[in-house]
Amino acid sequence: MAIVNSIFTWYMKKRVHQIELFMKYPHDVQEEWFEKLISSAADTEWGRKYDYESISNPRQFKERVPIQNYETLKPFIERMLRGEQNILWPTEIKWFAKSSGTTSDRSKFIPVSEESLQECHFKGGKDMLSIFCNNRPENQILTGKGLVLGGSHQINQLNEDSFYGDLSAVLIKNLPMWAEYYRTPNISIALMDNYEDKMEKMAVATIKENVTNIAGVPTWTIVLAKKVLELTGKSNLLEVWPNLELYIHGAVNFKPYREQFKELIPNCDMYYLETYNASEGFFGIQDEVKSDELLLMLDYGIYYEFLPIEKLDDDNPDTLSLDEVELFKNYAIIISTNGGLWRYMIGDTVQFTCLSPYRIKITGRTKHFINAFGEEVIIDNAEQAICKACTETGAVFKDYTACPIYFKGEEVGGHEWIIEFDQQPNDFEYFVDVLDKTLREVNSDYDAKRFKDLALRRPKVHNAPYNTFYNWLKSKGKLGGQHKVPRLANERTYVDEILPMMTDKSMI
């Protein structure tokens, strides 16, 4: 195993030179992919509709093809689900990543071509390991197995040639044999639908394995870790898996969970690696050990555009190419891909933290913010505030959501939070004060509205009973997989659904 691990590490590090190439020539690489995508799709129904044959540059592309979302592409995707081909992409599409997200109860079916599987998702996985091996050449991850918290949807057959499931389920079903050998638990458990049974079976199946790395969403990884410790009677995961050295995470901001993971894995050399992978594509990897910024991956069959968030509601807004973006401004991501998504707004917002090479941080969702009173609070603001409040009060939070309290009579508006803790703050009122104070420090619009309570009063915060959010997700049929608690909403749907699930005693 040690020899195999050494060969694997050497092979993976070779890819780093190719990564350095697109870091050095980012605009050339993006231009090449733009030309390749347009050329590839010229004879598809979509390409003929917008005359891709005559498009010679990104400006023409932007002028001719409107910005898309799932609803505008849905009629085309529904035909593809029924087995029609050459609609959005020229090669056969037989896999679809099912994603409901948190913005809607409706399911989305994102087409996954062979090219997007190989040149995007799997390439991203290889690059993730290449970066890790380059940064940690003495690693021993292939001397054991990787524990993958996969999808909550089995692969389902739509017709003779079409299948769908969570992205992670689609990837697992298409993994090469060698990769399957290094993964645990077996596929029958990894793709179980019932997440409560799944956590139990995953824990039982993996306890005796030599797990060297874990990949999964932090919230569900913590649930699994606690189940493992409960079954083994151990105090931390290193007592169960002494060779554990790598945790790969994504989907949510890791900062609020870092202290919990330090307790679960008390090893100062533990390597934490963040990725930015979604049903629509693999976008970013944390490439530096001492920075949580994400390197924007530019050679995965994706052409990027960026829309300043202040233009989100404009008709036919003008997007920016990679060479036009600025540091620390919020942009919605627009992608065109080798899976047949064209000028597709994925719903995430990012800021560029570095322009050479291009590194980003995820700041929120285009639909997950609070701006009922002009305060423009985004997820990044909220997470800075909640982390500071936890630090100052010794708390560990588990999940949260927040929404506006609208003006009523003579009362000014405000924000209403529901927060569930793994460890309670030593002073709840002070926790709320720090939360509010930090929001004022990181967001000048919020601060202006809070001045003398003119437009916003002190936040109203509910201390939720344990498992409140778990029970809410369960009631919605959204346990596990990529399902997450919506952090912020500009209306009250989520909070008004969750509040009745809490007892009167939980109201603070």
Side-chain angles (χ1 to χ4, degrees):
M1 280 293 192
I3 294 175
V4 172
N5 193 82
S6 297
I7 295 171
F8 171 81
T9 298
W10 170 81
Y11 176 78
M12 285 298 181
K13 287 175 68 175
K14 289 179 66 177
R15 165 63 185 162
V16 172
H17 298 301
Q18 293 173 287
I19 294 173
E20 290 171 345
L21 195 64
F22 78 66
M23 292 168 69
K24 188 174 182 180
Y25 303 105
H27 308 132
D28 293 339
V29 170
Q30 276 287 279
E31 185 177 335
E32 286 175 12
W33 268 114
F34 170 77
E35 293 171 355
K36 185 175 180 180
L37 290 169
I38 295 297
S39 173
S40 296
D43 288 329
T44 63
E45 181 178 313
W46 183 272
R48 291 192 298 271
K49 178 181 179 180
Y50 291 104
D51 192 14
Y52 275 22
E53 190 71 41
S54 67
I55 292 177
S56 59
N57 57 63
R59 174 51 56 192
Q60 289 178 329
F61 180 57
K62 294 177 184 182
E63 290 172 352
R64 194 173 300 177
V65 182
I67 291 175
Q68 307 293 314
N69 56 37
Y70 188 77
E71 292 306 310
T72 61
L73 287 184
K74 188 176 179 180
F76 299 91
I77 292 174
E78 285 182 337
R79 290 170 56 198
M80 296 163 69
L81 287 166
R82 293 192 294 268
E84 291 189 52
Q85 299 295 339
N86 203 38
I87 306 295
L88 296 173
W89 188 250
T91 61
E92 183 183 25
I93 304 286
K94 61 180 181 179
W95 290 96
F96 296 85
K98 183 180 179 183
S99 171
S100 61
T102 50
T103 60
S104 170
D105 287 330
R106 294 185 299 273
S107 294
K108 300 176 183 178
F109 293 87
I110 305 299
V112 181
S113 68
E114 183 65 21
E115 290 88 347
S116 61
L117 264 178
Q118 300 298 333
E119 297 173 2
C120 185
H121 293 292
F122 286 157
K123 191 174 183 179
K126 293 173 187 174
D127 283 357
M128 171 187 71
L129 293 176
S130 297
I131 288 168
F132 168 68
C133 290
N134 188 61
N135 290 341
R136 183 71 65 85
E138 72 281 8
N139 79 83
Q140 296 293 314
I141 60 168
L142 279 198
T143 61
K145 292 192 175 184
L147 195 168
V148 181
L149 279 80
S152 58
H153 287 287
Q154 285 276 8
I155 295 300
N156 294 279
Q157 191 161 354
L158 289 158
N159 50 55
E160 285 187 3
D161 299 312
S162 298
F163 307 87
Y164 72 86
D166 276 4
L167 174 66
S168 51
V170 172
L171 298 182
I172 287 172
K173 286 292 285 187
N174 285 277
L175 280 173
M177 286 299 296
W178 70 266
E180 184 64 24
Y181 176 78
Y182 287 101
R183 194 190 57 75
T184 189
N186 67 54
I187 199 165
S188 65
I189 297 174
L191 298 185
M192 284 179 64
D193 277 329
N194 186 317
Y195 235 71
E196 291 176 301
D197 290 345
K198 182 176 182 171
M199 289 293 102
E200 178 85 24
K201 283 186 165 55
M202 284 190 81
V204 171
T206 57
I207 282 170
K208 295 182 180 179
E209 295 280 5
N210 176 24
V211 173
T212 59
N213 59 100
I214 300 174
V217 177
T219 43
W220 293 109
T221 304
I222 289 171
V223 172
L224 177 64
K226 289 181 177 179
K227 178 61 68 175
V228 167
L229 298 182
E230 175 190 323
L231 292 174
T232 60
K234 303 296 186 182
S235 60
N236 64 69
L237 291 182
L238 293 179
E239 293 179 4
V240 183
W241 301 311
N243 297 316
L244 182 62
E245 60 174 307
L246 170 65
Y247 175 54
I248 302 160
H249 60 91
V252 297
N253 183 0
F254 187 62
K255 187 176 179 181
Y257 301 97
R258 191 172 292 278
E259 291 305 314
Q260 287 172 275
F261 273 83
K262 285 182 180 178
E263 291 183 13
L264 289 169
I265 311 170
N267 178 3
C268 59
D269 289 328
M270 184 68 184
Y271 196 109
Y272 294 94
L273 195 157
E274 182 173 359
T275 65
Y276 182 9
N277 190 16
S279 299
E280 297 86 355
F282 202 125
F283 308 124
I285 301 174
Q286 179 184 352
D287 66 316
E288 295 184 309
V289 179
K290 296 182 179 180
S291 171
D292 58 3
E293 299 169 353
L294 300 171
L295 179 67
L296 188 64
M297 309 306 285
L298 300 176
D299 65 346
Y300 285 5
I302 299 172
Y303 177 71
Y304 290 98
E305 300 172 56
F306 300 91
L307 178 63
I309 59 168
E310 61 269 19
K311 296 184 178 181
L312 273 175
D313 296 325
D314 292 0
D315 294 328
N316 302 314
D318 193 22
T319 60
L320 304 179
S321 299
L322 191 64
D323 59 346
E324 298 175 301
V325 298
E326 299 178 48
L327 289 172
F328 307 116
K329 291 193 173 183
N330 278 311
Y331 298 106
I333 302 179
I334 314 291
I335 59 172
S336 297
T337 77
N338 54 6
L341 300 178
W342 299 105
R343 303 204 74 208
Y344 184 89
M345 186 182 297
I346 63 174
D348 290 337
T349 60
V350 299
Q351 285 184 3
F352 283 87
T353 56
C354 179
L355 300 182
S356 182
Y358 287 99
R359 291 195 177 95
I360 59 172
K361 69 173 182 177
I362 305 166
T363 53
R365 299 277 294 171
T366 55
K367 294 185 179 180
H368 286 198
F369 56 85
I370 304 178
N371 193 32
F373 313 101
E375 67 274 45
E376 296 187 9
V377 172
I378 61 175
I379 291 176
D380 187 57
N381 301 154
E383 307 230 306
Q384 287 188 57
I386 204 166
C387 287
K388 183 73 175 295
C390 281
T391 299
E392 296 211 7
T393 60
V396 177
F397 94 94
K398 187 177 182 184
D399 249 320
Y400 74 89
T401 192
C403 73
I405 302 172
Y406 300 117
F407 291 124
K408 185 178 180 181
E410 297 297 316
E411 294 182 4
V412 299
H415 290 176
E416 187 164 10
W417 295 64
I418 300 175
I419 304 177
E420 182 180 333
F421 295 95
D422 264 329
Q423 183 171 312
Q424 290 289 328
N426 52 36
D427 184 332
F428 189 82
E429 290 302 319
Y430 182 59
F431 176 94
V432 178
D433 287 338
V434 176
L435 179 78
D436 183 40
K437 179 174 179 287
T438 308
L439 278 172
R440 297 186 70 164
E441 290 171 353
V442 301
N443 185 316
S444 58
D445 292 314
Y446 179 86
D447 183 47
K449 304 301 183 297
R450 284 283 292 118
F451 181 70
K452 294 186 176 180
D453 293 348
L454 289 177
L456 285 175
R457 61 180 183 266
R458 183 175 181 263
K460 181 178 183 180
V461 183
H462 304 277
N463 190 337
Y466 194 72
N467 270 352
T468 291
F469 288 105
Y470 181 93
N471 292 331
W472 177 69
L473 286 171
K474 183 178 178 181
S475 73
K476 307 285 285 183
K478 290 188 174 184
L479 283 182
Q482 296 177 319
H483 300 306
K484 306 178 287 291
V485 173
R487 301 303 205 194
L488 303 178
N490 206 35
E491 39 81 36
R492 295 189 53 85
T493 302
Y494 305 123
V495 166
D496 285 345
E497 285 181 356
I498 297 168
L499 283 176
M501 301 176 70
M502 299 162 49
T503 65
D504 290 339
K505 292 181 181 179
S506 70
M507 303 288 286
I508 302 297

